[in-house]
Amino acid sequence: MMTVSLTAVICNFNKKDYLKGCLDSLLATQSDSLSINVLVVDNASTDGSQQMIENEYGKQVTLIAKAENTGGAGGFATGMRAAVETGGDFVALLDNDILLDTDTLLKLVAYLQAHSEVGVAGAKICTMDNPAILQELGAFIDWENYGVKTPLKGHKDDTSLPDVVVCDYVPACCLVTRTEIIREAGVFDEAHFIYWDDMDWCTRVKLAGYEVHAIASARVQHKMGAVHATNTFSNYYFERNRLRFFASYLSADAFADFVLKRCSELAPQAFFAHYKGVTSQAISAQIALLDFAAGNWFAQNDGVLPKSQYDVTAYLPKHYRYCLCGDDEIKVAQVHWQLIAQGMDADIEDATVSALNQQQLYVVEHILTATTPADGWLIDGYLNVCESASHQALTQNYAEFLAVFNSVEMPVFIQQLMQGYRRFHQPQ
């Protein structure tokens, strides 16, 4: 049997305990048919991660110790360059807070061997805290709404899932590619620091003529630390790099349409930030827009603020068991997952439970655009909540706020973002 060589690149920053679990699950996948060379790129951790690798794994793991934190983008870029130099057949990019099934990498490599048109194969990602629920299985760039779509997020990990999802990108949480693809498409864009770097790279792979597939039979479990974040780190970098991504691939006219849409999103974001008392997230997002306009890339610590904590139960009736219902089953499941993450006692609608013992929450796309039910409460994917009887007053207040925003704030943001686009495309 021919042995295939794979270099596994793990990017780490201050997650020693999770890294150990990841390494143990990775090393357990070694086999006669798959020889794995393990590289850990450590972004100047201060929690003893480097010492742990040296003391517990020795020659099993090659440590690349960075002098400063270059983020996931910089860490993976460093590891990808090192992996190409080793000359192996395949490269895997892995987050440090995952657990791999023993056959995950074998299945992804075998899939790429059987499908020459595929340049990247990604795993099915389940949440570590609830492995029966998907975090992701194939994701898409939403070129019409300038965002991303993860249609199977929150879906049960069951036999109804497609075997393969032909998609736009798979996250560096767990992906495998051929070494030759990295030579052709390059490494991650380090200016991202974190977020949108894997989306950008998969887009480059697709533009080079290859497909990106997600494979349901290859599973990892992922911790998803951003859910419990105490600052706006993810808010800031996701927003700034969203602008960078679309500036990279859109014409000036198309980007102007994106800017108009993004600026129209600022109004409800600011309105509900005040409504819920969570203003730091909205402020961080606006700093991200200004940093894009100014060309401030890589790490920008000033955009990361202490995260305002939002307790949705403070806005709901007390002493109820909450019951979710709605027309979109996936969206109901996603909101249910968010409420459970907040420690709420919430269930999907159950006809066997007496209505006297539960408070019904009707899940909608967004509160502002929802049709008001006769009674009960509305809740959307942002966990905005509103009692039916107060819905009309809420929408009226928003209309008054929007009129001021559109006449005063929006023109300034539009001008700054278009200046940022022109700066981004100036010859270096």
Side-chain angles (χ1 to χ4, degrees):
M1 178 183 295
M2 179 180 295
T3 300
V4 174
S5 59
L6 177 144
T7 300
V9 177
I10 303 171
C11 182
N12 179 66
F13 178 65
N14 284 341
K15 284 191 176 180
K16 178 180 68 175
D17 293 337
Y18 286 116
L19 174 62
K20 178 172 173 54
C22 176
L23 287 171
D24 289 344
S25 68
L26 173 60
L27 293 170
T29 68
Q30 292 270 19
S31 68
D32 293 338
S33 60
L34 184 63
S35 173
I36 301 177
N37 173 39
V38 182
L39 296 178
V40 174
V41 182
D42 186 80
N43 269 320
S45 292
T46 57
D47 68 342
S49 291
Q50 296 181 21
Q51 294 83 350
M52 183 271 291
I53 293 169
E54 294 170 346
N55 294 339
E56 299 189 28
Y57 295 95
K59 295 182 179 180
Q60 290 180 290
V61 175
T62 299
L63 172 64
I64 301 176
K66 304 282 283 186
E68 61 180 358
N69 183 7
T70 59
F76 278 125
T78 298
M80 292 165 84
R81 284 189 285 264
V84 169
E85 290 178 3
T86 66
D89 301 308
F90 296 90
V91 177
L93 304 183
L94 308 173
D95 272 349
N96 56 358
D97 55 354
I98 64 167
L99 298 174
L100 299 104
D101 288 358
T102 55
D103 59 355
T104 293
L105 294 181
L106 280 167
K107 288 180 175 178
L108 294 176
V109 167
Y111 189 86
L112 289 174
Q113 288 176 313
H115 299 86
S116 60
E117 75 281 8
V118 179
V120 185
K124 172 179 65 183
I125 305 169
C126 295
T127 61
M128 191 177 293
D129 294 333
N130 187 357
I133 300 298
L134 294 193
Q135 175 190 338
E136 199 165 305
L137 178 62
F140 300 86
I141 304 297
D142 186 346
W143 294 99
E144 293 183 0
N145 297 299
Y146 310 108
V148 297
K149 293 180 179 179
T150 52
L152 293 173
K153 180 179 180 179
H155 197 287
K156 291 182 180 179
D157 183 14
D158 58 26
T159 56
S160 69
L161 292 172
D163 293 334
V164 176
V165 178
V166 181
C167 53
D168 288 332
Y169 73 91
V170 290
C173 177
C174 180
L175 67 79
V176 175
T177 188
R178 300 182 191 84
T179 304
E180 65 193 51
I181 297 291
I182 298 176
R183 293 193 183 99
E184 186 172 350
V187 301
F188 279 16
D189 178 357
E190 298 180 61
H192 286 90
F193 188 72
I194 195 167
Y195 301 132
W196 287 88
D197 45 359
D198 43 11
M199 304 174 199
D200 172 68
W201 183 75
C202 284
T203 300
R204 282 187 270 140
V205 171
K206 290 189 67 177
L207 290 173
Y210 301 95
E211 296 179 7
V212 178
H213 291 188
I215 314 304
S217 63
R219 187 187 75 146
V220 299
Q221 299 175 49
H222 187 216
K223 182 56 181 174
M224 294 182 65
V227 174
H228 307 291
T230 58
N231 59 40
T232 64
F233 181 91
S234 59
N235 305 70
Y236 170 80
Y237 285 106
F238 191 89
E239 181 57 50
R240 186 197 66 177
N241 294 337
R242 175 191 179 195
L243 288 158
R244 182 180 179 88
F245 176 88
F246 286 106
S248 298
Y249 298 106
L250 294 178
S251 67
D253 287 344
F255 189 77
D257 182 72
F258 167 42
V259 165
L260 186 61
K261 179 174 179 58
R262 180 62 191 101
C263 288
S264 69
E265 293 170 348
L266 289 175
Q269 186 177 34
F271 178 82
F272 279 101
H274 176 74
Y275 178 73
K276 296 187 292 188
V278 288
T279 55
S280 64
Q281 287 91 311
I283 294 171
S284 188
Q286 293 190 17
I287 294 173
L289 267 64
L290 297 176
D291 277 348
F292 166 81
N296 294 332
W297 306 118
F298 301 95
Q300 298 293 332
N301 294 331
D302 290 345
V304 179
L305 308 174
K307 191 170 186 177
S308 307
Q309 297 304 310
Y310 173 55
D311 180 8
V312 66
T313 61
Y315 297 83
L316 291 169
K318 308 302 182 190
H319 310 302
Y320 278 104
R321 178 172 175 264
Y322 301 102
C323 172
L324 300 177
C325 60
D327 298 329
D328 186 333
E329 291 184 3
I330 294 295
K331 187 164 292 294
V332 170
Q334 291 171 348
V335 171
H336 179 241
W337 176 81
Q338 291 185 75
L339 295 179
I340 294 298
Q342 287 207 359
M344 285 182 60
D345 183 11
D347 293 299
I348 308 297
E349 187 172 43
D350 184 354
T352 65
V353 178
S354 170
L356 296 175
N357 298 321
Q358 61 187 16
Q359 174 61 56
Q360 187 179 69
L361 304 179
Y362 193 82
V363 179
V364 296
E365 183 70 25
H366 197 285
I367 279 183
L368 291 175
T369 58
T371 301
T372 309
D375 54 24
W377 288 73
L378 299 172
I379 186 168
D380 61 24
Y382 302 97
L383 299 190
N384 299 316
V385 295
C386 177
E387 188 175 12
S388 298
S390 304
H391 186 253
Q392 184 175 354
L394 177 70
T395 56
Q396 179 61 37
N397 288 340
Y398 175 73
E400 295 170 1
F401 171 84
L402 182 62
V404 176
F405 180 88
N406 285 346
S407 62
V408 178
E409 300 288 342
M410 182 179 283
V412 177
F413 277 113
I414 290 174
Q415 181 183 39
Q416 290 176 319
L417 291 175
M418 291 310 300
Q419 287 176 345
Y421 177 87
R422 291 188 288 272
R423 180 181 289 111
F424 182 76
H425 285 279
Q426 286 176 349
Q428 300 298 316

